[in-house]
Amino acid sequence: MKTLVATGPAHPLYYPIVPLAWALRAAGHEVLVAAPESFDGPVRGSGLPMAPVCGPLDMGEVMAKDRDGGRVQVPDSDEEMAEGIGRGFGRLAARTLEGTAELVARWSPDLVVAESYGYAAAAAAAARHGIPWVKHVVGPGDLPVDPWVAAELQPELKELGLDALPEPALVLDNCPPLLGDPVPGARPLRYVPYGEPGTVPEWVLRPRTRPRLLITLGSVQPQIGGAPMLGQIVRSLGELDAELVVAVADHLVGQLGPLPDSVVATGWQSLTSVLPGCDAAVHHGGPGTMMACLVHGVPQVVVPGRGKPLDAIARLVDHGAVRHIHPPELTPESMLDAVRTLLEDPSYAERARSVAEDIARQPSPGLAVPVLEDLAAGHRA
């Protein structure tokens, strides 16, 4: 079976789908990743081949500029944000649809698997070539943006003879039941965290005499002015009797300012490598970071930015695995109090481990392979 895996040029969209691609390869199937040319590095790093569907493409530029190159207005409300993000993904689909359709025609896959926002692959595979496509959810917090994507993509859909976005033949839902209502008719799938390969630091495997805390604001927020805020969080936690690990892009470490002696590592960190050696985490509420922490049974303090899965975070707060600080309420004192409670109250770690056990009970990506084989065989028949 030949499976085309389609993704936009963004790590949070691609990484959750890598374990399924590995499972397909391990079962003896051909897998080819379709993505913009500039995403070659992350795909190669995951051990999979890639065919470009367009030239270099910057996700931030696609989201920030309309089709004519003009700056889009910064949203003031959640509804405006949903429209802005939806139209941004619509523009991404418009930029990559023709190249995706040509790749589908040349490579002739039996199946197309696209992440939640892979609308170009869905339209190209289902409408132009009649190939079944599978939607792979990328974790909690899928945004309700389909109407705005369809509105932005209307010229391309009309050319394909479509009135709306094509429906998937199957949905693979890797959001644990605790974090969100199941997608109707979807097949559950275990969330398996993937991170860029790297050497496990020696301190991860070293016995600890005091707690170790991971602190990160993800890959985007520090790039757009959040590095000083990250530095302030780290300094506020320097009062704790704990080791601090600061995950941030290497070139931004200098913008953090002076750091306490309790910091054992700064710079780029592969979460899948370092989380097994951490007792708690402080982060921005990104679904990938949150899910990686949950899989490893790590309790968390979350300071969510806009567009983060607030419903999932609220459920985790109710479950007792997470402390939530609203951004306007973030102070050195509130952060220190939240983390101290997390480390001193064992119930948070117990609840986090219970979530990890729930995730482990979900069907592995390997068990989804026969389902995809049957789907492709049924279509060929």
Side-chain angles (χ1 to χ4, degrees):
M1 181 174 71
K2 297 170 68 175
T3 302
L4 186 69
V5 172
T7 184
H11 299 75
L13 302 182
Y14 176 61
Y15 282 3
I17 208 170
V18 170
L20 178 66
W22 282 350
L24 287 163
R25 285 283 297 271
H29 299 298
E30 290 184 70
V31 175
L32 180 64
V33 178
E37 183 180 276
S38 49
F39 206 58
D40 172 67
V43 176
R44 268 191 299 116
S46 71
L48 296 168
M50 187 193 101
V53 294
C54 67
L57 191 152
D58 180 79
M59 194 74 168
E61 182 180 349
V62 173
M63 288 293 173
K65 295 183 179 180
D66 60 27
R67 293 201 187 202
D68 297 324
R71 283 273 170 189
V72 300
Q73 184 176 351
V74 177
D76 293 323
S77 66
D78 289 343
E79 183 178 351
E80 289 180 357
M81 185 181 68
E83 178 180 357
I85 292 174
R87 287 191 177 277
F89 278 117
R91 292 190 291 274
L92 174 64
R95 293 269 293 271
T96 56
L97 195 152
E98 194 59 37
T100 305
E102 292 175 0
L103 177 60
V104 170
R106 293 197 309 270
W107 198 59
S108 299
D110 301 293
L111 203 64
V112 172
V113 178
E115 35 82 0
S116 295
Y117 308 103
Y119 299 100
R128 186 171 291 189
H129 296 287
I131 295 171
W133 77 280
V134 175
K135 177 180 176 178
H136 190 300
V137 174
V138 293
D142 266 13
L143 299 170
V145 297
D146 284 9
W148 302 114
V149 174
E152 182 70 32
L153 202 56
Q154 200 56 229
E156 288 77 15
L157 293 176
K158 184 176 180 180
E159 186 176 332
L160 291 169
L162 296 175
D163 296 324
L165 296 169
E167 293 293 326
L170 174 68
V171 177
L172 298 175
D173 187 1
N174 64 3
C175 179
L178 174 68
L179 272 64
D181 298 324
V183 178
R187 176 181 174 82
L189 186 73
R190 184 187 310 161
Y191 189 100
V192 178
Y194 164 79
E196 291 179 345
T199 302
V200 177
E202 59 85 20
W203 51 261
V204 171
L205 306 176
R206 189 171 63 213
R208 330 195 256 290
T209 57
R210 53 182 180 162
R212 185 177 295 139
L213 181 67
L214 174 76
I215 309 168
T216 182
L217 292 181
S219 58
V220 175
Q221 198 167 330
Q223 295 268 12
I224 57 175
M229 175 184 171
L230 179 59
Q232 291 173 3
I233 291 174
V234 176
R235 283 186 289 277
S236 72
L237 297 175
E239 295 185 29
L240 294 170
D241 183 24
E243 295 179 342
L244 307 180
V245 177
V246 186
V248 66
D250 291 338
H251 70 279
L252 294 175
V253 172
Q255 298 182 23
L256 301 180
L259 299 177
D261 293 339
S262 55
V263 172
V264 298
T266 59
W268 177 87
Q269 309 284 340
S270 173
L271 296 187
T272 51
S273 296
V274 302
L275 275 172
C278 294
D279 300 287
V282 174
H283 63 85
H284 60 305
T289 302
M290 186 166 66
M291 288 302 302
C293 290
L294 291 174
V295 168
H296 289 93
V298 174
Q300 308 158 55
V301 173
V302 180
V303 187
R306 296 186 67 179
K308 302 308 180 188
L310 297 181
D311 181 62
I313 294 169
R315 293 184 183 216
L316 288 168
V317 170
D318 291 342
H319 187 69
V322 159
R323 293 291 300 269
H324 176 196
I325 300 177
H326 298 279
E329 301 170 359
L330 177 63
T331 64
E333 294 76 21
S334 66
M335 175 59 71
L336 187 60
D337 177 68
V339 173
R340 184 174 280 136
T341 301
L342 206 69
L343 295 175
E344 294 178 355
D345 185 344
S347 69
Y348 284 96
E350 292 168 3
R351 291 293 187 172
R353 286 192 294 269
S354 74
V355 179
E357 291 166 359
D358 286 343
I359 294 173
R361 283 191 284 268
Q362 299 299 302
S364 76
L367 294 178
V369 173
V371 178
L372 299 182
E373 291 171 341
D374 290 344
L375 179 61
H379 176 72
R380 287 194 298 267

